[in-house]
Structure formats: structure tokens, C-alpha cells
Amino acid sequence: MTVKFQVQFLEEAADFLDNLEEKAREKIYYNIKKAQVTNDRELFKKLNNEIWEFRTLFNKTHYSI
């Protein structure tokens, strides 16, 4: 699988992830890695040339980074 883009977290996003429940954080990381090799509009969307929004649904909670 070819990675289509690299991910860099802002400090605030990294802090947000660090404070989540472990299983929710793992699901988000899994979806980010999945988004790097697929074109799944359910997982992410481009907000501008450099910023993307990643979305994950876990345990009936929506997470957006």
C-alpha cells in the first residue's frame, strides 16, 4: 500500500488525543492510517490546501480532528 500523504498533528490535536480513552484513541489512529492509503470521504475531508479534518465514530461518539 502506498501512503498518499503524511500526517502532522498540531500540539492541541496531540493533547486532545492523549486525553481520550485508549480504545477511542486507537480507533482514531487506525482510521487515520486507513485514510492515508484509501480515498474514504467518510473518514476525512479536505478543508483547505494544507488542512484536513479526520472523522471517527466510536461508541456512538463522533470525533473530529
Side-chain angles (χ1 to χ4, degrees):
M1 290 187 233
T2 303
V3 174
K4 297 178 183 196
F5 56 88
Q6 297 297 318
V7 176
Q8 293 181 323
F9 291 108
L10 295 174
E11 184 177 339
E12 294 86 352
D15 290 342
F16 171 76
L17 290 168
D18 287 343
N19 289 305
L20 291 177
E21 173 189 334
E22 182 179 354
K23 290 195 181 266
R25 183 175 50 249
E26 288 174 359
K27 175 72 177 209
I28 292 168
Y29 283 137
Y30 170 82
N31 279 346
I32 290 171
K33 289 190 180 295
K34 182 178 175 184
Q36 287 179 297
V37 296
T38 65
N39 190 12
D40 188 339
R41 294 179 187 263
E42 295 286 318
L43 296 177
F44 70 102
K45 74 176 185 177
K46 192 172 187 176
L47 299 179
N48 66 37
N49 286 338
E50 297 178 12
I51 299 176
W52 294 73
E53 176 186 47
F54 289 93
R55 298 174 289 200
T56 296
L57 174 62
F58 179 75
N59 259 2
K60 299 180 184 178
T61 301
H62 292 272
Y63 298 93
S64 295
I65 300 175

